[in-house]
PDB file of all heavy atoms in Angstrom:
ATOM      1  N   TYR A 314       1.454 -14.399   3.427  1.00 95.00           N
ATOM      2  CA  TYR A 314       1.615 -14.579   1.993  1.00 95.00           C
ATOM      3  C   TYR A 314       2.685 -15.638   1.763  1.00 95.00           C
ATOM      4  O   TYR A 314       3.765 -15.574   2.349  1.00 95.00           O
ATOM      5  CB  TYR A 314       1.962 -13.244   1.328  1.00 95.00           C
ATOM      6  CG  TYR A 314       0.908 -12.202   1.630  1.00 95.00           C
ATOM      7  CD1 TYR A 314       1.199 -11.113   2.446  1.00 95.00           C
ATOM      8  CD2 TYR A 314      -0.385 -12.336   1.156  1.00 95.00           C
ATOM      9  CE1 TYR A 314       0.219 -10.168   2.747  1.00 95.00           C
ATOM     10  CE2 TYR A 314      -1.364 -11.406   1.459  1.00 95.00           C
ATOM     11  CZ  TYR A 314      -1.058 -10.330   2.255  1.00 95.00           C
ATOM     12  OH  TYR A 314      -2.026  -9.413   2.559  1.00 95.00           O
ATOM     13  N   GLY A 315       2.369 -16.613   0.924  1.00 94.00           N
ATOM     14  CA  GLY A 315       3.201 -17.789   0.752  1.00 94.00           C
ATOM     15  C   GLY A 315       4.509 -17.578   0.014  1.00 94.00           C
ATOM     16  O   GLY A 315       5.444 -18.364   0.189  1.00 94.00           O
ATOM     17  N   THR A 316       4.577 -16.525  -0.796  1.00 94.00           N
ATOM     18  CA  THR A 316       5.802 -16.298  -1.571  1.00 94.00           C
ATOM     19  C   THR A 316       6.202 -14.831  -1.488  1.00 94.00           C
ATOM     20  O   THR A 316       5.377 -13.960  -1.182  1.00 94.00           O
ATOM     21  CB  THR A 316       5.599 -16.653  -3.060  1.00 94.00           C
ATOM     22  OG1 THR A 316       4.630 -15.767  -3.626  1.00 94.00           O
ATOM     23  CG2 THR A 316       5.163 -18.097  -3.236  1.00 94.00           C
ATOM     24  N   LYS A 317       7.461 -14.584  -1.804  1.00 94.00           N
ATOM     25  CA  LYS A 317       7.954 -13.207  -1.853  1.00 94.00           C
ATOM     26  C   LYS A 317       7.209 -12.422  -2.925  1.00 94.00           C
ATOM     27  O   LYS A 317       6.883 -11.249  -2.741  1.00 94.00           O
ATOM     28  CB  LYS A 317       9.455 -13.201  -2.126  1.00 94.00           C
ATOM     29  CG  LYS A 317      10.066 -11.835  -2.174  1.00 94.00           C
ATOM     30  CD  LYS A 317      11.556 -11.894  -2.449  1.00 94.00           C
ATOM     31  CE  LYS A 317      12.109 -10.483  -2.540  1.00 94.00           C
ATOM     32  NZ  LYS A 317      13.528 -10.486  -2.876  1.00 94.00           N
ATOM     33  N   GLU A 318       6.914 -13.084  -4.050  1.00 95.00           N
ATOM     34  CA  GLU A 318       6.202 -12.417  -5.145  1.00 95.00           C
ATOM     35  C   GLU A 318       4.806 -11.975  -4.720  1.00 95.00           C
ATOM     36  O   GLU A 318       4.381 -10.868  -5.047  1.00 95.00           O
ATOM     37  CB  GLU A 318       6.118 -13.347  -6.367  1.00 95.00           C
ATOM     38  CG  GLU A 318       7.440 -13.605  -7.049  1.00 95.00           C
ATOM     39  CD  GLU A 318       8.326 -14.619  -6.321  1.00 95.00           C
ATOM     40  OE1 GLU A 318       7.851 -15.350  -5.430  1.00 95.00           O
ATOM     41  OE2 GLU A 318       9.526 -14.655  -6.643  1.00 95.00           O
ATOM     42  N   GLU A 319       4.100 -12.837  -3.977  1.00 96.00           N
ATOM     43  CA  GLU A 319       2.769 -12.454  -3.512  1.00 96.00           C
ATOM     44  C   GLU A 319       2.855 -11.308  -2.506  1.00 96.00           C
ATOM     45  O   GLU A 319       2.054 -10.371  -2.541  1.00 96.00           O
ATOM     46  CB  GLU A 319       2.029 -13.633  -2.892  1.00 96.00           C
ATOM     47  CG  GLU A 319       0.611 -13.264  -2.497  1.00 96.00           C
ATOM     48  CD  GLU A 319      -0.193 -14.404  -1.907  1.00 96.00           C
ATOM     49  OE1 GLU A 319       0.359 -15.497  -1.687  1.00 96.00           O
ATOM     50  OE2 GLU A 319      -1.383 -14.185  -1.648  1.00 96.00           O
ATOM     51  N   TYR A 320       3.844 -11.372  -1.610  1.00 95.00           N
ATOM     52  CA  TYR A 320       4.047 -10.294  -0.638  1.00 95.00           C
ATOM     53  C   TYR A 320       4.268  -8.976  -1.366  1.00 95.00           C
ATOM     54  O   TYR A 320       3.644  -7.974  -1.046  1.00 95.00           O
ATOM     55  CB  TYR A 320       5.248 -10.621   0.260  1.00 95.00           C
ATOM     56  CG  TYR A 320       5.630  -9.494   1.192  1.00 95.00           C
ATOM     57  CD1 TYR A 320       5.049  -9.379   2.451  1.00 95.00           C
ATOM     58  CD2 TYR A 320       6.571  -8.530   0.815  1.00 95.00           C
ATOM     59  CE1 TYR A 320       5.398  -8.340   3.312  1.00 95.00           C
ATOM     60  CE2 TYR A 320       6.920  -7.493   1.665  1.00 95.00           C
ATOM     61  CZ  TYR A 320       6.330  -7.405   2.908  1.00 95.00           C
ATOM     62  OH  TYR A 320       6.669  -6.372   3.746  1.00 95.00           O
ATOM     63  N   GLU A 321       5.157  -8.977  -2.358  1.00 93.00           N
ATOM     64  CA  GLU A 321       5.453  -7.748  -3.099  1.00 93.00           C
ATOM     65  C   GLU A 321       4.238  -7.264  -3.883  1.00 93.00           C
ATOM     66  O   GLU A 321       3.991  -6.059  -3.958  1.00 93.00           O
ATOM     67  CB  GLU A 321       6.651  -7.967  -4.024  1.00 93.00           C
ATOM     68  CG  GLU A 321       7.942  -8.105  -3.242  1.00 93.00           C
ATOM     69  CD  GLU A 321       9.141  -8.472  -4.094  1.00 93.00           C
ATOM     70  OE1 GLU A 321       8.973  -8.769  -5.298  1.00 93.00           O
ATOM     71  OE2 GLU A 321      10.259  -8.468  -3.542  1.00 93.00           O
ATOM     72  N   TYR A 322       3.474  -8.182  -4.447  1.00 96.00           N
ATOM     73  CA  TYR A 322       2.249  -7.821  -5.166  1.00 96.00           C
ATOM     74  C   TYR A 322       1.264  -7.144  -4.218  1.00 96.00           C
ATOM     75  O   TYR A 322       0.696  -6.093  -4.535  1.00 96.00           O
ATOM     76  CB  TYR A 322       1.641  -9.077  -5.793  1.00 96.00           C
ATOM     77  CG  TYR A 322       0.280  -8.853  -6.399  1.00 96.00           C
ATOM     78  CD1 TYR A 322       0.146  -8.199  -7.620  1.00 96.00           C
ATOM     79  CD2 TYR A 322      -0.868  -9.301  -5.766  1.00 96.00           C
ATOM     80  CE1 TYR A 322      -1.110  -7.989  -8.189  1.00 96.00           C
ATOM     81  CE2 TYR A 322      -2.114  -9.104  -6.321  1.00 96.00           C
ATOM     82  CZ  TYR A 322      -2.228  -8.445  -7.533  1.00 96.00           C
ATOM     83  OH  TYR A 322      -3.472  -8.236  -8.080  1.00 96.00           O
ATOM     84  N   ARG A 323       1.060  -7.741  -3.052  1.00 95.00           N
ATOM     85  CA  ARG A 323       0.136  -7.165  -2.056  1.00 95.00           C
ATOM     86  C   ARG A 323       0.657  -5.833  -1.533  1.00 95.00           C
ATOM     87  O   ARG A 323      -0.126  -4.927  -1.242  1.00 95.00           O
ATOM     88  CB  ARG A 323      -0.086  -8.140  -0.908  1.00 95.00           C
ATOM     89  CG  ARG A 323      -0.674  -9.458  -1.307  1.00 95.00           C
ATOM     90  CD  ARG A 323      -2.077  -9.307  -1.792  1.00 95.00           C
ATOM     91  NE  ARG A 323      -2.618 -10.591  -2.179  1.00 95.00           N
ATOM     92  CZ  ARG A 323      -3.890 -10.793  -2.488  1.00 95.00           C
ATOM     93  NH1 ARG A 323      -4.745  -9.793  -2.462  1.00 95.00           N
ATOM     94  NH2 ARG A 323      -4.295 -11.983  -2.838  1.00 95.00           N
ATOM     95  N   LEU A 324       1.962  -5.695  -1.393  1.00 94.00           N
ATOM     96  CA  LEU A 324       2.561  -4.433  -0.948  1.00 94.00           C
ATOM     97  C   LEU A 324       2.294  -3.331  -1.961  1.00 94.00           C
ATOM     98  O   LEU A 324       1.963  -2.200  -1.580  1.00 94.00           O
ATOM     99  CB  LEU A 324       4.062  -4.603  -0.711  1.00 94.00           C
ATOM    100  CG  LEU A 324       4.841  -3.345  -0.330  1.00 94.00           C
ATOM    101  CD1 LEU A 324       4.282  -2.687   0.925  1.00 94.00           C
ATOM    102  CD2 LEU A 324       6.322  -3.691  -0.151  1.00 94.00           C
ATOM    103  N   VAL A 325       2.401  -3.639  -3.242  1.00 93.00           N
ATOM    104  CA  VAL A 325       2.106  -2.644  -4.283  1.00 93.00           C
ATOM    105  C   VAL A 325       0.659  -2.184  -4.162  1.00 93.00           C
ATOM    106  O   VAL A 325       0.361  -0.989  -4.214  1.00 93.00           O
ATOM    107  CB  VAL A 325       2.407  -3.196  -5.697  1.00 93.00           C
ATOM    108  CG1 VAL A 325       1.824  -2.286  -6.772  1.00 93.00           C
ATOM    109  CG2 VAL A 325       3.900  -3.349  -5.896  1.00 93.00           C
ATOM    110  N   ILE A 326      -0.256  -3.126  -3.982  1.00 94.00           N
ATOM    111  CA  ILE A 326      -1.673  -2.775  -3.816  1.00 94.00           C
ATOM    112  C   ILE A 326      -1.856  -1.890  -2.587  1.00 94.00           C
ATOM    113  O   ILE A 326      -2.570  -0.882  -2.622  1.00 94.00           O
ATOM    114  CB  ILE A 326      -2.541  -4.039  -3.723  1.00 94.00           C
ATOM    115  CG1 ILE A 326      -2.525  -4.777  -5.062  1.00 94.00           C
ATOM    116  CG2 ILE A 326      -3.973  -3.686  -3.308  1.00 94.00           C
ATOM    117  CD1 ILE A 326      -3.155  -6.152  -5.014  1.00 94.00           C
ATOM    118  N   PHE A 327      -1.212  -2.263  -1.482  1.00 94.00           N
ATOM    119  CA  PHE A 327      -1.311  -1.478  -0.247  1.00 94.00           C
ATOM    120  C   PHE A 327      -0.795  -0.067  -0.473  1.00 94.00           C
ATOM    121  O   PHE A 327      -1.408   0.902  -0.033  1.00 94.00           O
ATOM    122  CB  PHE A 327      -0.510  -2.170   0.867  1.00 94.00           C
ATOM    123  CG  PHE A 327      -0.700  -1.562   2.226  1.00 94.00           C
ATOM    124  CD1 PHE A 327      -1.729  -1.974   3.063  1.00 94.00           C
ATOM    125  CD2 PHE A 327       0.168  -0.582   2.695  1.00 94.00           C
ATOM    126  CE1 PHE A 327      -1.891  -1.425   4.326  1.00 94.00           C
ATOM    127  CE2 PHE A 327       0.015  -0.026   3.958  1.00 94.00           C
ATOM    128  CZ  PHE A 327      -1.025  -0.452   4.771  1.00 94.00           C
ATOM    129  N   ARG A 328       0.333   0.071  -1.184  1.00 91.00           N
ATOM    130  CA  ARG A 328       0.891   1.396  -1.474  1.00 91.00           C
ATOM    131  C   ARG A 328      -0.079   2.225  -2.314  1.00 91.00           C
ATOM    132  O   ARG A 328      -0.250   3.422  -2.073  1.00 91.00           O
ATOM    133  CB  ARG A 328       2.225   1.286  -2.210  1.00 91.00           C
ATOM    134  CG  ARG A 328       3.371   0.836  -1.367  1.00 91.00           C
ATOM    135  CD  ARG A 328       4.674   0.954  -2.159  1.00 91.00           C
ATOM    136  NE  ARG A 328       5.764   0.229  -1.553  1.00 91.00           N
ATOM    137  CZ  ARG A 328       6.440   0.623  -0.488  1.00 91.00           C
ATOM    138  NH1 ARG A 328       6.122   1.752   0.106  1.00 91.00           N
ATOM    139  NH2 ARG A 328       7.438  -0.095  -0.011  1.00 91.00           N
ATOM    140  N   GLU A 329      -0.695   1.599  -3.311  1.00 92.00           N
ATOM    141  CA  GLU A 329      -1.660   2.312  -4.158  1.00 92.00           C
ATOM    142  C   GLU A 329      -2.830   2.814  -3.313  1.00 92.00           C
ATOM    143  O   GLU A 329      -3.239   3.973  -3.422  1.00 92.00           O
ATOM    144  CB  GLU A 329      -2.175   1.407  -5.274  1.00 92.00           C
ATOM    145  CG  GLU A 329      -1.148   1.101  -6.329  1.00 92.00           C
ATOM    146  CD  GLU A 329      -1.596   0.049  -7.327  1.00 92.00           C
ATOM    147  OE1 GLU A 329      -2.591  -0.664  -7.061  1.00 92.00           O
ATOM    148  OE2 GLU A 329      -0.945  -0.059  -8.380  1.00 92.00           O
ATOM    149  N   LYS A 330      -3.371   1.938  -2.486  1.00 92.00           N
ATOM    150  CA  LYS A 330      -4.492   2.326  -1.621  1.00 92.00           C
ATOM    151  C   LYS A 330      -4.065   3.392  -0.619  1.00 92.00           C
ATOM    152  O   LYS A 330      -4.816   4.317  -0.328  1.00 92.00           O
ATOM    153  CB  LYS A 330      -5.063   1.101  -0.886  1.00 92.00           C
ATOM    154  CG  LYS A 330      -5.691   0.097  -1.794  1.00 92.00           C
ATOM    155  CD  LYS A 330      -6.877   0.686  -2.527  1.00 92.00           C
ATOM    156  CE  LYS A 330      -7.502  -0.316  -3.461  1.00 92.00           C
ATOM    157  NZ  LYS A 330      -8.528   0.280  -4.307  1.00 92.00           N
ATOM    158  N   HIS A 331      -2.853   3.251  -0.097  1.00 91.00           N
ATOM    159  CA  HIS A 331      -2.338   4.230   0.861  1.00 91.00           C
ATOM    160  C   HIS A 331      -2.283   5.620   0.226  1.00 91.00           C
ATOM    161  O   HIS A 331      -2.684   6.611   0.840  1.00 91.00           O
ATOM    162  CB  HIS A 331      -0.946   3.804   1.340  1.00 91.00           C
ATOM    163  CG  HIS A 331      -0.414   4.633   2.455  1.00 91.00           C
ATOM    164  ND1 HIS A 331      -0.795   4.441   3.765  1.00 91.00           N
ATOM    165  CD2 HIS A 331       0.454   5.678   2.460  1.00 91.00           C
ATOM    166  CE1 HIS A 331      -0.183   5.336   4.527  1.00 91.00           C
ATOM    167  NE2 HIS A 331       0.579   6.086   3.756  1.00 91.00           N
TER     168      HIS A 331
END
Side-chain angles (χ1 to χ4, degrees):
Y314 303 111
T316 64
K317 181 180 178 183
E318 291 78 15
E319 184 178 6
Y320 173 89
E321 290 174 352
Y322 172 76
R323 300 293 180 171
L324 176 57
V325 168
I326 293 170
F327 188 88
R328 287 188 195 284
E329 290 172 345
K330 295 298 179 188
H331 188 80

